[in-house]
């Protein structure tokens, strides 16, 4: 049995917490730096599906994957930068066990989190970590605390009808995309490792009755906190207001240092902060053409970082109706509707907070909610890459020019090339230039650049190019790129996962290996027929 002696025998038990990772000595100052054992955990024990009340977590042990286990990928940046590990640890079999649920960190009391959520517009009741286990937290030498979570590590009391596993396909996507988003500068959860097993998992990949055997995989992922809007909603909906207050107080004290924990309007301040940060996050998504795909309240972080990478996609041909989840026929979470989904989620967050707000505070909060789209738009405009404007977006939309490469090639083009309309080496700008009004737009653009030039002593164009290249990526994780790496990974060839992972660490830098792989080229013909499979 995996069951360990329980350290805390009362019903009141831990949030989370291995005091250290097994590969390193605890530092002196870490002793006694345990987090508050603040939250009650589920009184009921045992790994069976149930409705849970009056707690934030249930005790839940990972189910080890059946071997042989293969370490398909690791993020050196996450291991070294966040967990203070020497990447040399990865060669040990022990490491594979620890990061896939086969072994628990010393002191780890793994938990599954109870939460609810609004899914596709409707209250879905209890959801919770159905295939994820919180292993504990780690405070690194920079003083940052990261929560370690396994995904795909087996059933929990919240598994509903699921089997608690994640397949290779979805795990590769999460691993690659969360790390790629980080290097694009977008707030996100991180991924430390990806372990692939031979354990069979059955999935109906396109929900069409075609059940296929795939293999189970586990990602070790990290976030400063895994609490979601749904974490608060379930407590509010169930009238568990003491617990709601307790959880909020904890989140505010741990993660919102600028909010004074004694102030009577701290919940209002918290709400205002989440509304702002979420609007800014979603503007950042838009600025790189990222569609999350499942903007349910349970998939939205209270810290406004990107979490739960599922049927996400990066938009290629510019199209506000772009929907990464091919089963989302209504386009509820299309990229153009994404901000409205965010607004909806902020409304649900406010509903969850209402019982703790006075009537006057609720009124203020409603006004704050109304600022969401404005903040989103202002932030989007700021991120709208230098020199472009809504008319430019219109040209892109009309010509269905590639979103990423249009911005990038505009960044790379010299003034000379722009003036001569020489786009021989710029396939996306060529598409754009087919527009009848392109020339007008370009004239205005050049005029503006010229004006800026007279105000600046330095060579304004090389300045512009450098500035624009530092914010307009040349490489994003396009579906076809992920798919190609996944096909190899299914055959235990992880070389392309490693290549993509490496290239996407420097998305703004032109790299020979990426050029050779065609990652900045027009997507191959077969990319257009790709569907993002949704079962995960
Ligand atoms: C905050 O509240 C605590 C107890 O509720 C009290 O001891 C402390 O003095 C208060 N701090 C401030 C700055 O008001
Ligand atoms: C809003 O959020 C952004 C991004 O998180 C941050 O830079 C900015 O300071 C915030 N503004 C306010 C008023 O809190
Ligand atoms: C969003 O949350 C729901 C409920 O927990 C979960 O079933 C789903 O897998 C999540 N989506 C992703 C992409 O992780
Ligand atoms: C994709 O959209 C459909 C239709 O709204 C939904 O039922 C399904 O759960 C979505 N897939 C995921 C992974 O969220
Ligand atoms: C167009 O630009 C390319 C570089 O991108 C250059 O090699 C080529 O000579 C230019 N052609 C003309 C006609 O200026």
């Amino acid at each position: 049995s995996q069951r360990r002696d329980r350290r805390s025998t009362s019903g009141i038990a831990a949030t989370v917490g291995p005091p250290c990772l097994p590969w390193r000595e605890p530092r002196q100052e870490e002793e006694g730096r345990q987090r508050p054992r603040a939250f009650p955990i589920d009184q009921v024990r045992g790994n069976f599906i149930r409705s849970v009340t009056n707690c934030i977590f249930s005790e839940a042990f990972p189910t080890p994957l059946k071997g042989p286990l293969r370490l398909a990928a690791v993020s050196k940046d996450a291991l070294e930068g966040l967990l203070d590990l020497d990447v040399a640890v990865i060669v040990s079999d022990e490491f594979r066990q620890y990061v896939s649920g086969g072994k628990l960190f010393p002191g780890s009391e793994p938990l599954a989190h109870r939460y609810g959520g609004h899914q596709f517009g409707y209250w879905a009741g209890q959801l919770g970590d159905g295939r994820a286990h919180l292993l504990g937290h780690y405070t690194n030498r920079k003083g940052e605390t990261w929560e370690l979570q396994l995904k795909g590590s087996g059933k929990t009391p919240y598994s509903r009808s699921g089997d608690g596993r994640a397949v290779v396909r979805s795990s590769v996507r999460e691993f690659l995309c969360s790390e790629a988003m980080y290097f694009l500068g977008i707030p996100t959860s991180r991924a430390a490792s990806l372990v692939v097993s031979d354990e069979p998992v059955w999935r109906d990949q396109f929900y069409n009755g075609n059940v296929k055997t795939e293999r189970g995989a586990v990602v070790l992922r990290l976030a400063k906190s895994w609490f979601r809007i749904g974490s608060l909603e379930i407590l509010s909906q169930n009238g568990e207001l003491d617990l709601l207050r307790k959880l909020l107080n904890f989140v505010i004290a741990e993660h919102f240092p600028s909010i004074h924990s004694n102030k009577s309007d701290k919940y209002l301040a918290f709400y205002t902060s989440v509304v702002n940060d979420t609007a800014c996050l979603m503007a950042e998504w838009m600025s790189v053409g990222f569609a999350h795909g499942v903007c349910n309240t349970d998939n939205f972080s209270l810290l406004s970082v990107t979490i739960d990478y599922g049927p996400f996609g990066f938009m290629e041909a510019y199209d506000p109706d772009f929907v990464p989840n091919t089963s989302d026929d209504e386009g509820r979470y299309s990229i153009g509707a994404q901000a409205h989904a965010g607004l909806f989620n902020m409304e649900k967050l406010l509903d969850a907070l209402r019982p703790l707000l006075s009537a006057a505070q609720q009124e203020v909060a409603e006004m704050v909610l109304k600022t969401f789209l404005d903040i989103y738009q202002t932030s989007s405009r700021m991120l709208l890459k230098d020199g472009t404007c809504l008319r430019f977006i219109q040209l892109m939309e009309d010509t269905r020019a590639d979103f990423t490469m249009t911005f990038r090639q505009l960044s790379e083009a010299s003034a000379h090339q722009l003036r001569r309309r020489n786009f021989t080496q710029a396939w996306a700008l060529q598409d754009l230039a087919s527009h009848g009004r392109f020339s007008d737009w370009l004239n205005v653009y050049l005029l503006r650049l010229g004006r800026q030039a007279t105000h600046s002593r330095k060579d304004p164009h090389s300045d512009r190019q450098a500035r624009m290249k530092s914010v307009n990526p040349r490489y994003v994780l396009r579906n076809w790129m992920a798919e190609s790496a996944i096909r190899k990974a299914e055959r235990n060839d992880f070389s392309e996962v490693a290549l993509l992972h490496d290239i996407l660490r420097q998305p703004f830098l032109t790299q020979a290996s990426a050029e050779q792989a065609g990652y900045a080229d027009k997507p191959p013909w077969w990319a257009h027929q790709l569907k993002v499979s949704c079962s995960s």
Side-chain angles (χ1 to χ4, degrees):
S1 153
Q2 302 161 53
R3 183 169 278 257
R4 303 192 149 212
D5 288 344
R6 292 194 50 77
R7 292 236 193 129
S8 36
T9 46
S10 73
I12 304 296
T15 56
V16 280
C20 67
L21 297 175
W23 304 281
R24 49 178 299 286
E25 295 297 313
R27 279 173 287 121
Q28 283 307 303
E29 68 268 32
E30 270 167 23
E31 310 289 353
R33 209 196 143 167
Q34 295 266 337
R35 289 178 135 193
R37 308 198 137 245
F39 300 126
I41 69 162
D42 189 0
Q43 295 283 325
V44 181
R45 302 279 149 71
N47 200 1
F48 58 92
I49 291 140
R50 58 184 174 264
S51 171
V52 177
T53 55
N54 297 308
C55 68
I56 308 279
F57 294 107
S58 294
E59 171 188 278
F61 291 89
T63 307
L65 278 174
K66 292 197 184 75
L69 301 180
R70 294 181 179 85
L71 188 60
V74 290
S75 166
K76 186 168 183 278
D77 304 289
L79 291 181
E80 296 190 344
L82 308 183
L83 300 180
D84 299 336
L85 292 171
D86 183 331
V87 77
V89 298
I90 68 171
V91 298
S92 69
D93 176 57
E94 230 188 344
F95 179 81
R96 254 171 296 167
Q97 297 290 334
Y98 278 119
V99 301
S100 66
K103 249 181 144 170
L104 289 177
F105 299 121
S108 173
E109 295 174 9
L111 301 167
H113 176 38
R114 168 188 177 226
Y115 56 83
H118 278 82
Q119 300 195 310
F120 304 98
Y122 299 97
W123 174 243
Q126 175 180 305
L127 299 165
D129 290 333
R131 52 192 177 137
H133 292 84
L134 192 60
L135 297 179
H137 69 271
Y138 173 72
T139 300
N140 67 20
R141 58 169 83 108
K142 289 177 246 170
E144 306 161 343
T145 296
W146 289 87
E147 291 182 356
L148 287 74
Q149 192 188 70
L150 297 179
K151 181 168 171 184
S153 41
K155 284 190 182 178
T156 76
Y158 306 96
S159 292
R160 290 164 287 171
S161 56
D163 59 13
R165 290 304 185 200
V167 296
V168 173
R169 177 161 53 77
S170 67
S171 306
V172 166
R173 284 167 53 86
E174 167 139 17
F175 178 88
L176 286 177
C177 197
S178 57
E179 287 300 282
M181 290 286 268
Y182 170 73
F183 287 103
L184 284 168
I186 298 176
T188 178
S189 62
R190 301 289 301 275
S193 63
L194 165 64
V195 171
V196 167
S197 76
D198 281 349
E199 184 170 321
V201 174
W202 287 270
R203 287 290 182 275
D204 182 353
Q205 202 175 342
F206 297 106
Y207 303 118
N208 61 5
N210 248 331
V211 178
K212 197 176 111 182
T213 313
E214 302 189 43
R215 288 186 297 150
V218 169
V219 173
L220 172 60
R221 49 185 203 171
L222 311 168
K224 297 264 175 78
S225 165
W226 287 102
F227 289 126
R228 302 136 191 277
I229 295 175
S231 307
L232 302 174
E233 280 182 291
I234 188 106
L235 302 174
S236 192
Q237 292 261 354
N238 263 28
E240 298 170 30
L241 300 189
D242 284 342
L243 212 44
L244 175 64
R245 206 172 284 116
K246 199 167 192 167
L247 178 54
L248 263 170
N249 291 347
F250 175 83
V251 169
I252 291 170
E254 288 278 313
H255 303 289
F256 293 78
S258 64
I259 299 178
H260 208 291
S261 55
N262 275 19
K263 284 265 258 323
S264 60
D265 63 355
K266 65 176 170 180
Y267 301 136
L268 188 56
F270 165 79
Y271 183 66
T272 308
S273 183
V274 179
V275 166
N276 171 68
D277 293 353
T278 302
C280 292
L281 174 71
M282 296 185 82
E284 298 228 39
W285 288 357
M286 188 65 202
S287 78
V288 294
F290 176 80
H292 180 283
V294 209
C295 300
N296 295 329
T297 55
D298 51 297
N299 307 113
F300 259 47
S301 154
L302 287 180
L303 303 195
S304 308
V305 302
T306 316
I307 56 169
D308 285 356
Y309 291 82
F312 65 83
F314 285 87
M315 175 169 66
E316 296 189 350
Y318 185 86
D319 176 11
D321 293 331
F322 169 65
V323 183
N325 167 6
T326 41
S327 318
D328 184 0
D329 304 323
E330 290 170 42
R332 181 178 174 88
Y333 295 141
S334 71
I335 196 160
Q338 208 159 242
H340 286 91
L343 176 66
F344 177 88
N345 290 351
M346 292 302 106
E347 197 179 306
K348 296 304 161 194
L349 174 60
L350 173 53
D351 288 346
L353 298 176
R354 274 183 203 280
L356 307 186
L357 300 176
S358 69
Q361 286 174 330
Q362 290 185 47
E363 265 181 49
V364 178
E366 279 156 20
M367 275 152 56
V368 169
L369 173 64
K370 289 209 181 87
T371 64
F372 180 85
L373 288 178
D374 289 337
I375 299 170
Y376 173 80
Q377 250 126 35
T378 309
S379 177
S380 293
R381 265 196 296 275
M382 264 160 47
L383 292 166
L384 235 192
K385 308 306 165 51
D386 197 23
T388 58
C389 60
L390 291 178
R391 283 174 59 202
F392 182 75
I393 300 283
Q394 191 62 51
L395 297 185
M396 271 205 291
E397 185 171 350
D398 292 347
T399 55
R400 296 180 58 85
D402 185 84
F403 184 75
T404 305
M405 285 311 279
T406 301
F407 279 116
R408 180 68 188 192
Q409 290 172 350
L410 186 65
S411 315
E412 290 171 348
S414 68
H416 185 68
Q417 279 168 321
L418 290 176
R419 265 187 234 109
R420 301 195 53 156
R421 278 128 171 97
N422 173 359
F423 304 126
T424 46
Q425 309 224 324
W427 57 270
L429 285 184
Q430 263 173 34
D431 287 343
L432 198 74
S434 68
H435 198 288
R437 286 200 299 275
F438 175 76
S439 224
D440 291 347
W441 172 81
L442 187 57
N443 287 337
V444 174
Y445 183 61
L446 284 166
L447 218 72
R448 232 194 59 202
L449 291 185
R451 264 204 306 277
Q452 282 169 6
T454 55
H455 291 299
S456 149
R457 269 167 206 209
K458 280 187 292 180
D459 175 1
H461 289 295
S462 64
D463 219 39
R464 170 192 67 93
Q465 283 170 295
R467 201 173 55 241
M468 283 182 72
K469 283 197 283 190
S470 73
V471 292
N472 291 299
R474 190 165 168 90
Y475 315 112
V476 292
L477 184 64
R478 296 170 187 261
N479 271 336
W480 71 266
M481 288 157 53
E483 187 62 27
S484 170
I486 288 164
R487 283 178 194 170
K488 288 191 181 149
E490 307 269 20
R491 303 192 302 265
N492 292 326
D493 171 359
F494 306 113
S495 58
E496 206 161 310
V497 173
L499 176 71
L500 271 173
H501 179 216
D502 191 49
I503 284 164
L504 295 170
R505 289 176 71 245
Q506 294 179 296
F508 304 105
L509 193 73
T510 303
Q511 298 164 60
S513 55
E515 298 303 306
Q516 205 178 0
Y519 292 156
D521 293 350
K522 209 171 226 183
W525 61 271
W526 56 269
H528 303 291
Q529 280 135 332
L530 267 186
K531 291 171 94 183
V532 179
S533 46
C534 288
S535 73
S536 51

